Amino acid sequence: YIIKEEPEALVLSVNVASDVKKVYWYINNQFLKEADKTEKVLYLPTQSGHYKISCSDDKARNSDIEIEVKVVE
């Protein structure tokens, strides 16, 4: 749940192999940000709905999760 009057961003982080240097974040298949492997990335959904969050590393490995977000008054 995200409270419309006091929204808080989601904190995205990932555990990767030691040989990884960079990761690439996507929301609903759209590029969000390139980040160092230990960097936490913030994302604030603006609408209720279904979101696919993907993370790829610089070795072409990928992981996806799906979440449901509800923005409430």
Side-chain angles (χ1 to χ4, degrees):
Y1 289 93
I2 295 179
I3 300 169
K4 189 174 186 175
E5 299 298 319
E6 299 174 26
E8 290 187 36
L10 302 175
V11 179
L12 309 178
S13 65
V14 64
N15 292 320
V16 294
S18 60
D19 62 341
V20 171
K21 292 184 172 60
K22 294 284 183 180
V23 295
Y24 307 92
W25 290 98
Y26 298 83
I27 305 294
N28 295 334
N29 298 320
Q30 293 190 344
F31 180 72
L32 175 66
K33 183 174 182 173
E34 175 183 321
D36 291 329
K37 67 180 181 180
T38 58
E39 181 181 347
K40 291 180 175 29
V41 173
L42 300 179
Y43 175 70
L44 181 59
T46 57
Q47 306 177 29
S48 296
H50 189 77
Y51 288 80
K52 176 181 166 187
I53 302 171
S54 305
C55 186
S56 298
D57 67 19
D58 55 12
K59 306 296 182 208
R61 296 173 287 216
N62 186 71
S63 184
D64 303 321
I65 63 166
E66 295 183 13
I67 64 169
E68 185 72 26
V69 171
K70 295 199 187 283
V71 177
V72 294
E73 297 289 328

